[in-house]
Amino acid sequence: MSAHCQLTGAKPGFGNQISHSHRRTSRRFDPNVQRKRYWLPSEGRHVRLTLSTKAIRTIDAIGIEAAVTRIRARGVRV
């Protein structure tokens, strides 16, 4: 699976690696994406989400129920 966050939508960025001699080669800036499992009380089951570390902190603040609502609003299946 590609490195993208289900909650925030963070995706890899692209740019150039610049060497000491100033030659440029393409590179990819991946977000810090983790697979995390949460208990979803409303459905009585666990959900496994692919989240950036920023999204993990967001879930700690707003709660898993609100986060799953936001993820589903983006059109992502949970």
mmCIF file of all heavy atoms in Angstrom, residues 4-11 74:
data_model
loop_
_atom_site.group_PDB
_atom_site.id
_atom_site.type_symbol
_atom_site.label_atom_id
_atom_site.label_comp_id
_atom_site.label_asym_id
_atom_site.label_seq_id
_atom_site.Cartn_x
_atom_site.Cartn_y
_atom_site.Cartn_z
ATOM 1 N N HIS A 4 0.170 6.706 2.547
ATOM 2 C CA HIS A 4 -0.735 7.845 2.684
ATOM 3 C C HIS A 4 -1.638 7.628 3.888
ATOM 4 O O HIS A 4 -1.954 6.500 4.255
ATOM 5 C CB HIS A 4 -1.504 8.101 1.383
ATOM 6 C CG HIS A 4 -2.845 7.491 1.297
ATOM 7 N ND1 HIS A 4 -3.048 6.182 1.011
ATOM 8 C CD2 HIS A 4 -4.073 8.030 1.490
ATOM 9 C CE1 HIS A 4 -4.341 5.927 1.016
ATOM 10 N NE2 HIS A 4 -4.985 7.023 1.308
ATOM 11 N N CYS A 5 -2.028 8.739 4.513
ATOM 12 C CA CYS A 5 -2.788 8.715 5.760
ATOM 13 C C CYS A 5 -4.287 8.716 5.458
ATOM 14 O O CYS A 5 -4.754 9.497 4.628
ATOM 15 C CB CYS A 5 -2.417 9.939 6.595
ATOM 16 S SG CYS A 5 -3.363 10.094 8.105
ATOM 17 N N GLN A 6 -5.025 7.857 6.158
ATOM 18 C CA GLN A 6 -6.468 7.774 5.926
ATOM 19 C C GLN A 6 -7.220 8.953 6.530
ATOM 20 O O GLN A 6 -8.283 9.318 6.035
ATOM 21 C CB GLN A 6 -7.017 6.478 6.515
ATOM 22 C CG GLN A 6 -6.582 5.245 5.766
ATOM 23 C CD GLN A 6 -7.133 3.992 6.375
ATOM 24 O OE1 GLN A 6 -6.934 3.726 7.549
ATOM 25 N NE2 GLN A 6 -7.823 3.214 5.587
ATOM 26 N N LEU A 7 -6.694 9.573 7.575
ATOM 27 C CA LEU A 7 -7.401 10.676 8.235
ATOM 28 C C LEU A 7 -7.049 12.024 7.619
ATOM 29 O O LEU A 7 -7.933 12.785 7.241
ATOM 30 C CB LEU A 7 -7.086 10.689 9.730
ATOM 31 C CG LEU A 7 -7.740 11.780 10.562
ATOM 32 C CD1 LEU A 7 -9.261 11.686 10.511
ATOM 33 C CD2 LEU A 7 -7.276 11.706 12.000
ATOM 34 N N THR A 8 -5.773 12.325 7.505
ATOM 35 C CA THR A 8 -5.362 13.648 7.020
ATOM 36 C C THR A 8 -5.143 13.694 5.514
ATOM 37 O O THR A 8 -5.083 14.766 4.933
ATOM 38 C CB THR A 8 -4.067 14.107 7.707
ATOM 39 O OG1 THR A 8 -3.018 13.195 7.380
ATOM 40 C CG2 THR A 8 -4.234 14.201 9.203
ATOM 41 N N GLY A 9 -4.980 12.532 4.888
ATOM 42 C CA GLY A 9 -4.733 12.501 3.446
ATOM 43 C C GLY A 9 -3.301 12.825 3.080
ATOM 44 O O GLY A 9 -3.013 13.092 1.911
ATOM 45 N N ALA A 10 -2.386 12.806 4.053
ATOM 46 C CA ALA A 10 -0.976 13.108 3.773
ATOM 47 C C ALA A 10 -0.415 12.072 2.806
ATOM 48 O O ALA A 10 -0.591 10.874 2.993
ATOM 49 C CB ALA A 10 -0.182 13.104 5.071
ATOM 50 N N LYS A 11 0.248 12.541 1.760
ATOM 51 C CA LYS A 11 0.830 11.676 0.739
ATOM 52 C C LYS A 11 2.310 12.012 0.582
ATOM 53 O O LYS A 11 2.762 13.050 1.056
ATOM 54 C CB LYS A 11 0.158 11.929 -0.614
ATOM 55 C CG LYS A 11 -1.282 11.568 -0.672
ATOM 56 C CD LYS A 11 -1.806 11.846 -2.064
ATOM 57 C CE LYS A 11 -3.315 11.918 -2.051
ATOM 58 N NZ LYS A 11 -3.837 12.377 -3.313
ATOM 59 N N ARG A 74 -14.470 11.511 4.006
ATOM 60 C CA ARG A 74 -13.514 11.634 2.907
ATOM 61 C C ARG A 74 -13.745 10.566 1.852
ATOM 62 O O ARG A 74 -13.112 10.578 0.793
ATOM 63 C CB ARG A 74 -12.072 11.519 3.417
ATOM 64 C CG ARG A 74 -11.630 12.671 4.276
ATOM 65 C CD ARG A 74 -10.174 12.553 4.680
ATOM 66 N NE ARG A 74 -9.335 12.794 3.518
ATOM 67 C CZ ARG A 74 -8.443 11.915 3.045
ATOM 68 N NH1 ARG A 74 -8.274 10.764 3.602
ATOM 69 N NH2 ARG A 74 -7.720 12.220 1.995
#
